[in-house]
Amino acid sequence: MASFDQAMAKQQSHDGVVAGAKAAGLAAIVTAIPTMAIGRMPWGRANLNYTAQALIISTVAGAAYFIVADKTILASARRNSFKNNEPRN
């Protein structure tokens, strides 16, 4: 039984990592486009250097990764806990 639980936990963690990586990639692209465009405007050129632009993009990507991975793992755990706690006849 323990090996089944470990295998299920490993699969759920892997699903969370994959979902988080997809969300981080999408968030990085969606954030990079306006950030790079603002960096070319006069205000952005004066106030946002390349380090600031990279920091904005990587912060959003990292946040998206952890939020989506956490939600995916918790949803899987919730779904499996309801399955395991169903009344048995």
Side-chain angles (χ1 to χ4, degrees), residues 14-76:
H14 178 71
D15 292 344
V17 168
V18 169
K22 287 179 183 178
L26 181 65
I29 292 169
V30 170
T31 307
I33 295 169
T35 303
M36 300 304 270
I38 289 173
R40 303 299 173 254
M41 296 176 187
W43 178 88
R45 191 175 298 249
N47 295 307
L48 292 177
N49 60 12
Y50 294 117
T51 304
Q53 292 173 5
L55 185 62
I56 291 168
I57 295 166
S58 62
T59 301
V60 170
Y65 173 82
F66 285 111
I67 290 169
V68 171
D70 186 49
K71 284 184 175 261
T72 304
I73 292 169
L74 288 175
S76 297

Side-chain angles (χ1 to χ4, degrees), residues 8 47 64 77 88:
M8 188 168 35
N47 295 307
R88 294 184 183 153

